[in-house]
Amino acid sequence: MILSSILQAIGLFIATNIDDIIVLSLFFARGAGQRGTTTRIILGQYLGFAGILGAAVLVSLGAGAFLPPEVIPYFGLVPLALGLWAAWQAWRGYDDDDDEAKIEGKNVAVWTVAGVTFANGGDNIGVYVPVFLSVGPAAVVAYCIVFLLLVAVLVGLAKFVATRRPIAEVLERWEHVLFPIVLIGLGIVILVSGGAFGL
């Protein structure tokens, strides 16, 4: 059960944060040659992600206190809708996440990274809340611990990508396909496992 939760947390983190690799890579590219860039990016990413987790947990606690258990599986509609929207945007060839514009003209400061991370985390909160509502408190703690450990891996990977242009181009090319597929699958799993619509 614990291994299953850890694997699910890893998959969920990858699905919701793969686009952050591009943004963080741009931060590393901008701060190249400056002393302390890696430390500031790590601190900023942790602050921003802690804000995302805090918001998701608070919303989950509030929803769990006021909603009957039968309603909780229907929160799977949120990642399903986000996945379908992302798929629609990918199909239309439209991308509203202009990563370069997000950091253009800004220095690599802790609060800049934290702000961009949190602002880019709306989808994360929308996905984490239904997942947190569908599992017990111990699993929520396990998810949060795994997520926080993976933030360091994400920053390290972004630094690696920032120094290898072909990898960044591949991720940028396929992120729009992987993101909707994983979100749609996650939404369906939440709906089916919770017995929504009599499934």
Side-chain angles (χ1 to χ4, degrees), residues 17 23 26 28 30 50 68 79 81 90 93 102-103 105 114 120 151 153 166 175:
N17 292 285
V23 178
L26 292 171
F28 276 111
R30 175 161 300 252
K102 288 180 183 178
I103 64 169
N120 200 27
V151 166
V153 176
E175 183 270 333

Side-chain angles (χ1 to χ4, degrees), residues 13 21 46 146-159:
F13 184 88
I21 294 174
Y46 267 107
V146 171
F147 288 167
L148 291 172
L149 290 173
L150 289 175
V151 166
V153 176
L154 179 70
V155 174
L157 185 58
K159 186 173 183 178

Side-chain angles (χ1 to χ4, degrees), residues 172-186:
E172 196 167 354
R173 175 181 290 176
W174 291 105
E175 183 270 333
H176 70 285
V177 174
L178 295 173
F179 186 67
I181 289 173
V182 173
L183 285 185
I184 290 168
L186 178 65

